[in-house]
Amino acid sequence: MEWYSFSRPLKPSEWDTLRSYARRVRSVLDFTRGLNWVSVKTLFDPPTPDPMFPNLRILRWEFLRETFSLMHHLAVSSLTSLEINFVFGDVPPFRSFPQSLGDLCPNIRKFRIHMRRSQVDSDETISALVRRWTNLQVLHCPCISLDIDSLTHLSCTPSLTNLSFALSAVVTDHITSSHSILIFSKLHNLEICSQSLESISRLLSHIRLPTIEFLTVYVDSCPSNFTLRSYLTAVQKMCTCHFLVSFKLIQTRPPSSTNHILDQLAVEDIRPCMAFNHLRRLDINIASAVNLADDDLLELASAWPHLEYLLINEESGWKTEGGITPNGLFQLLQMLESLHHFCLAIDTRDFTETPLALVSTRAAGFTPRTPFSVNVADSIIQPESVDAVGGFLWTDHAAQCQSFFLLLEPFYDDRSSGFNKAVGGCVCKSP
């Protein structure tokens, strides 16, 4: 990359010229590219009391310790969108964070902060800062544990539509029955990160989200069946079920011990999701083994006529010999005409020949969809079933689609190569 710099100190007339152009700047997105540090400091800290960019609207600040102190020179009242990225895991002492940022930038509507880990001082500082802004529309701080006062403040912010934060058990431990229900009247997108699903359930039991459409939860530990059902019950109570279109529950860390026996994910654990009858995406990925057969999946799918993504343990695998049979999968595709990406284990036991009814999918009423993506998770593809399953997945399903993807896990070994050969013309890739 070619770097530019000031070759000499600027004259007053040159500063005036530069300032006349700088007044037109509305966004600064990446000041670290193109200018050396001396020039950056010169440009952002001009020899006048007035800021160089008085009409700035959008600021994306890539944090480096050398430049963090310069940020207050760009903190102007016109700023409405602020994004701070702590690159290379370099987290500052947050108590030196500009405490006056809330006063200098009172009109912030979108605030995003990216860092690798939560720290007590950063949590407290950001929580205090959030409470200074009354017009927030988007707050994205997935590694910041907001306190209950900040959540209460945000519930009274009528413009808030997108919220992402970390939840500490310390916060939920302070929530009692005496606390008022928090109503986020316009929130459409909620993302919560927590060590356990229990903490999230306790919080959701005290909030209401009448307009929520996208709900995403990240947890460190695998929830028990009881905890999962409690969580789903809390979701049903806190939202208007027919508004919810995307439901995600993702475990971010593997189990701490491989000897720990986990509950199996069964249909009764997922059945409460059937209340969300406008779902377009269901994504559950936890360490539990999955125990779902044809009747189970068809029962669940009957409640979601608009479903486009059905992803169950896409990363963790099903850890079972069972799954949906090719015949059940065909019925599922007939039932869900919008489904174009799914991850399900396929039960190929005793499936050695593709029935004519499954091959002639067009005659049987199958509606092709583009793109069409199949992930067979950690299915145990029996060697004698490879040709039949490959023919079933490829023959008409893929031939009628402009984009067809078959995702195979890398630990299939020789069965993977046989499967790839069987489906011949489709595009095969390993995640």
Side-chain angles (χ1 to χ4, degrees):
M1 176 183 293
E2 188 173 3
W3 294 87
Y4 296 90
S5 62
F6 294 112
S7 59
R8 57 174 174 77
L10 296 181
K11 301 176 182 179
S13 60
E14 292 171 328
W15 273 113
D16 291 340
T17 300
L18 188 60
R19 186 180 298 278
S20 67
Y21 285 101
R23 292 181 62 86
R24 306 177 189 178
V25 174
R26 296 296 182 268
S27 63
V28 174
L29 301 181
D30 190 355
F31 66 86
T32 62
R33 293 180 178 269
L35 287 177
N36 64 17
W37 293 121
V38 175
S39 298
V40 168
K41 185 175 180 179
T42 300
L43 185 62
F44 288 176
D45 189 12
T48 62
D50 299 323
M52 175 59 71
F53 304 100
N55 297 312
L56 198 62
R57 300 285 191 275
I58 302 172
L59 173 61
R60 182 189 300 158
W61 191 270
E62 300 288 344
F63 170 79
L64 293 173
R65 290 186 180 273
E66 296 88 344
T67 62
F68 193 65
S69 61
L70 299 175
M71 194 174 72
H72 72 277
H73 292 289
L74 297 179
V76 293
S77 60
S78 60
L79 201 64
T80 60
S81 178
L82 175 60
E83 180 175 345
I84 304 175
N85 297 313
F86 294 103
V87 295
F88 311 119
D90 196 6
V91 179
F94 257 73
R95 297 199 182 279
S96 65
F97 195 93
Q99 295 295 322
S100 60
L101 194 59
D103 295 325
L104 295 173
C105 310
N107 298 310
I108 292 294
R109 296 178 182 176
K110 298 178 181 180
F111 179 63
R112 297 179 175 88
I113 183 166
H114 305 278
M115 54 194 298
R116 290 188 177 181
R117 62 188 182 278
S118 177
Q119 295 182 341
V120 173
D121 57 350
S122 62
D123 294 342
E124 294 174 350
T125 304
I126 297 300
S127 291
L129 183 59
V130 165
R131 294 195 295 271
R132 303 296 298 275
W133 290 321
T134 59
N135 297 311
L136 279 173
Q137 296 174 349
V138 176
L139 176 59
H140 182 82
C141 51
C143 286
I144 299 294
S145 180
L146 298 178
D147 59 30
I148 190 62
D149 291 335
S150 297
L151 293 174
T152 301
H153 168 78
L154 291 171
S155 71
C156 299
T157 304
S159 56
L160 187 68
T161 60
N162 291 264
L163 175 60
S164 172
F165 67 100
L167 180 64
S168 168
V170 175
V171 174
T172 55
D173 288 344
H174 285 85
I175 298 178
T176 65
S177 57
S178 62
H179 280 86
S180 300
I181 297 294
L182 305 181
I183 302 176
F184 294 78
S185 59
K186 296 294 179 64
L187 196 66
H188 297 311
N189 192 335
L190 175 63
E191 177 182 297
I192 307 178
C193 307
S194 181
Q195 290 184 342
S196 69
L197 195 59
E198 290 93 338
S199 296
I200 297 176
S201 297
R202 287 198 295 271
L203 174 66
L204 295 189
S205 65
H206 285 82
I207 68 176
R208 295 294 180 266
L209 305 173
T211 60
I212 193 69
E213 296 180 13
F214 303 89
L215 177 62
T216 302
V217 162
Y218 296 98
V219 293
D220 291 346
S221 59
C222 182
S224 66
N225 289 357
F226 175 80
T227 299
L228 177 57
R229 294 178 201 175
S230 299
Y231 167 67
L232 292 175
T233 300
V235 173
Q236 285 181 316
K237 290 181 178 179
M238 66 116 190
C239 74
T240 306
C241 291
H242 66 268
F243 277 9
L244 195 65
V245 297
S246 176
F247 177 91
K248 297 182 184 180
L249 171 59
I250 310 296
Q251 182 181 342
T252 56
R253 296 183 182 179
S256 57
S257 173
T258 56
N259 296 324
H260 181 61
I261 300 177
L262 301 171
D263 291 339
Q264 281 197 342
L265 187 65
V267 64
E268 53 266 24
D269 304 313
I270 308 178
R271 191 174 281 130
C273 287
M274 295 177 69
F276 315 136
N277 55 7
H278 280 69
L279 273 186
R280 295 185 181 275
R281 183 182 185 114
L282 178 73
D283 190 349
I284 297 177
N285 190 76
I286 56 180
S288 298
V290 181
N291 181 19
L292 295 173
D294 288 3
D295 290 344
D296 302 326
L297 289 164
L298 292 173
E299 176 192 349
L300 295 171
S302 66
W304 308 318
H306 310 292
L307 201 65
E308 299 174 3
Y309 294 83
L310 177 58
L311 309 173
I312 299 180
N313 277 16
E314 188 169 30
E315 299 294 332
S316 299
W318 283 42
K319 308 178 185 71
T320 179
E321 291 186 0
I324 190 168
T325 66
N327 182 63
L329 177 57
F330 180 67
Q331 294 181 61
L332 184 73
L333 293 173
Q334 285 183 308
M335 180 182 295
L336 301 178
E337 296 184 357
S338 299
L339 188 68
H340 59 77
H341 185 185
F342 68 85
C343 174
L344 302 171
I346 299 178
D347 183 357
T348 67
R349 290 173 293 183
D350 300 323
F351 188 76
T352 58
E353 184 176 349
T354 307
L356 181 62
L358 299 188
V359 173
S360 303
T361 53
R362 184 184 296 275
F366 173 76
T367 303
R369 61 288 313 255
T370 298
F372 187 49
S373 175
V374 177
N375 188 333
V376 296
D378 55 350
S379 303
I380 299 178
I381 309 297
Q382 303 296 336
E384 62 272 17
S385 302
V386 168
D387 289 340
V389 175
F392 164 65
L393 288 177
W394 167 244
T395 303
D396 245 6
H397 295 58
Q400 296 176 45
C401 298
Q402 296 176 6
S403 300
F404 177 87
F405 297 93
L406 175 65
L407 283 73
L408 300 172
E409 297 295 343
F411 49 78
Y412 287 164
D413 301 325
D414 58 330
R415 286 174 295 185
S416 177
S417 61
F419 210 158
N420 291 348
K421 182 177 181 181
V423 297
C426 73
V427 180
C428 300
K429 63 178 183 179
S430 296

